[in-house]
Amino acid sequence: MIFYVVETADKLLVGFLQRIQDKARNVGFDWKEKEDVWDKVQEELEELKVELAKGDKENSTQELGDFIFSVINAARLYKLNPDNALEKTAWWKATH
């Protein structure tokens, strides 16, 4: 049961993020070289850490979204399927 709930939530979240990502890519939020995405991922992680340290829940939530969005972008650039990655993680956690 828990696996089904996690799997369903994962698919809904990633599907939503991929739709937003497609829209962002259409307005130029993209990189010519896939390796360049890691600077953005690191930038967003640092911004998240700053807001968490401040204890600012609203800004932390925004920065968490930015961080997740940048990781989804990295997955796309490396031709990895985030749905599959989350599914494998959920399955492993549910069985170990």
Side-chain angles (χ1 to χ4, degrees):
M1 175 66 173
I2 191 165
F3 177 70
Y4 174 76
V5 171
V6 171
E7 179 182 19
T8 301
D10 288 345
K11 287 185 179 187
L12 290 173
L13 175 62
V14 173
F16 170 73
L17 291 172
Q18 285 179 321
R19 286 191 305 276
I20 291 174
Q21 176 196 60
D22 288 341
K23 290 179 182 180
R25 183 177 57 222
N26 290 335
V27 295
F29 193 75
D30 209 353
W31 296 268
K32 292 188 189 301
E33 301 295 327
K34 64 184 177 184
E35 294 80 10
D36 295 340
V37 74
W38 297 115
D39 290 337
K40 186 64 173 173
V41 170
Q42 187 61 41
E43 173 189 327
E44 297 301 344
L45 178 59
E46 292 305 317
E47 290 175 4
L48 173 59
K49 288 178 178 179
V50 166
E51 296 305 326
L52 289 169
K54 290 180 189 176
D56 187 325
K57 190 169 183 173
E58 186 173 330
N59 285 342
S60 293
T61 300
Q62 176 65 43
E63 293 303 334
L64 176 61
D66 291 350
F67 175 69
I68 293 170
F69 183 79
S70 65
V71 172
I72 296 292
N73 260 305
R76 176 183 56 82
L77 292 168
Y78 282 86
K79 298 183 179 8
L80 300 173
N81 185 317
D83 283 332
N84 291 346
L86 287 171
E87 205 170 287
K88 287 180 181 187
T89 296
W91 179 85
W92 190 89
K93 300 248 186 239
T95 59
H96 288 87

